[in-house]
Amino acid sequence: MKVTLKDVAEKAGVSTATASLALSGKGRISEAVRLSVFKAAEETGYNQRRKQLKQINTGSVVILFSIDAEWSIVYWFIRPIITEIQQYYSQQNENVVLLPISKQMSDNEILQNIAAAECSAVFSLHYGSKYLLSTLENMGIPIVVIMNGKFQENFHCILSDDFQGAYEGTKHLIKLGHTKILYVETERTDLPVLSSDRVYGFMKALDEAQIQFNQKDKVSCDVHNTTYFEAVIHSIFSVESPPTAVFAFDD
């Protein structure tokens, strides 16, 4: 039976994430915990398996990114991220492989494609699946999730500060003289924390400026029904005293 990172974590009495950090030499891990994880790795035979994996891996790094049409709008945003990753690893003499994925693909299909790339690390842009990410870690392949706060308590993540971003954006509008701001949102069941953080940041900026927010100036739209959204927006800006600015929750 293959020894996994989860086995090491359980033996050491820590989380899988902590075990991963300890073995990689990263994170703020106490020396006692780090030694406990190292000991567990030796006793379970996990260290030997890691050596075998290193011999198999070619040193390439995989970047997962969606090719679904609905994500095409963020390409110009993620391109600089991909470029920075490529530049860093080129200095380490390691290859970077762009692995396109789609919501039509199963986790196992994506795993097979990653395995075929014989990579040593995986970056996932937006995409997240707890099963897939956990499986990669158990295989000894470190992963970093970029721009998906749903997994920040389980895996290494790089995220924008949605609360602070919304707060700063709203303060900018207020500084320009706007006191009646339309808040436009859409449902994001995939990223609920993102939704709450942005509205909290928006409201905090208004509260600090002592601007009372009218719930009539909040519009929820369905991204799949733009006709309805356009009609609502038209009615809002057709009144005698319409909002003078718009805070758009999402693109």
Side-chain angles (χ1 to χ4, degrees):
M1 185 175 70
K2 291 183 178 179
V3 180
T4 66
L5 185 61
K6 184 178 179 181
D7 296 325
V8 175
E10 289 179 352
K11 188 171 184 61
V14 298
S15 68
T16 304
T18 298
S20 176
L21 287 170
L23 291 172
S24 64
K26 300 175 182 177
R28 297 179 179 178
I29 308 297
S30 70
E31 193 60 26
V33 171
R34 198 181 301 278
L35 289 173
S36 176
V37 172
F38 282 155
K39 183 179 179 182
E42 287 292 343
E43 292 178 352
T44 58
Y46 184 74
N47 279 345
Q48 184 60 34
R49 182 166 175 264
R50 290 178 77 205
K51 292 176 183 177
Q52 292 171 349
L53 284 169
K54 285 182 179 180
Q55 292 173 355
I56 295 173
N57 291 335
T58 61
S60 63
V61 175
V62 162
I63 301 177
L64 302 179
F65 71 103
S66 174
I67 57 172
D68 292 322
E70 62 192 80
W71 288 106
S72 61
I73 194 171
V74 304
Y75 172 72
W76 296 106
F77 178 70
I78 67 173
R79 189 178 69 167
I81 298 174
I82 294 174
T83 299
E84 287 292 330
I85 294 173
Q86 289 177 320
Q87 289 179 347
Y88 172 80
Y89 280 101
S90 65
Q91 294 173 359
Q92 315 300 317
N93 294 319
E94 294 190 45
N95 298 320
V96 175
V97 178
L98 297 181
L99 189 61
I101 59 174
S102 167
K103 61 183 178 182
Q104 308 300 329
M105 300 170 66
S106 67
D107 285 341
N108 286 329
E109 186 176 356
I110 295 173
L111 278 170
Q112 289 175 4
N113 291 340
I114 293 173
E118 297 184 334
C119 66
S120 58
V122 172
F123 289 89
S124 180
L125 294 174
H126 282 297
Y127 175 77
S129 160
K130 192 170 184 178
Y131 166 74
L132 183 141
L133 299 176
S134 297
T135 302
L136 289 173
E137 282 204 336
N138 289 337
M139 292 169 61
I141 299 175
I143 57 97
V144 174
V145 183
I146 301 175
M147 298 186 300
N148 189 331
K150 189 176 180 180
F151 303 100
Q152 59 185 314
E153 294 183 359
N154 306 105
F155 306 101
H156 298 294
C157 295
I158 299 174
L159 307 170
S160 57
D161 189 335
D162 289 297
F163 174 87
Q164 189 68 23
Y167 172 75
E168 296 291 346
T170 308
K171 279 188 66 175
H172 174 69
L173 293 177
I174 295 171
K175 187 176 180 180
L176 293 176
H178 299 287
T179 57
K180 190 173 183 181
I181 304 171
L182 179 68
Y183 186 89
V184 181
E185 66 178 2
T186 187
E187 187 177 14
R188 288 297 300 270
T189 55
D190 56 331
L191 297 172
V193 176
L194 176 148
S195 304
S196 59
D197 281 357
R198 289 182 182 176
V199 72
Y200 288 153
F202 172 77
M203 295 303 297
K204 184 175 187 296
L206 293 184
D207 289 341
E208 287 184 358
Q210 297 183 334
I211 298 174
Q212 187 170 2
F213 182 69
N214 191 330
Q215 288 299 318
K216 291 182 180 179
D217 292 327
K218 184 178 181 180
V219 176
S220 296
C221 66
D222 180 355
V223 295
H224 301 294
N225 189 351
T226 56
T227 302
Y228 167 76
F229 177 60
E230 289 170 4
V232 172
I233 291 295
H234 179 74
S235 65
I236 289 174
F237 285 96
S238 296
V239 299
E240 185 177 342
S241 180
T244 60
V246 176
F247 182 100
F249 160 84
D250 208 340
D251 47 15

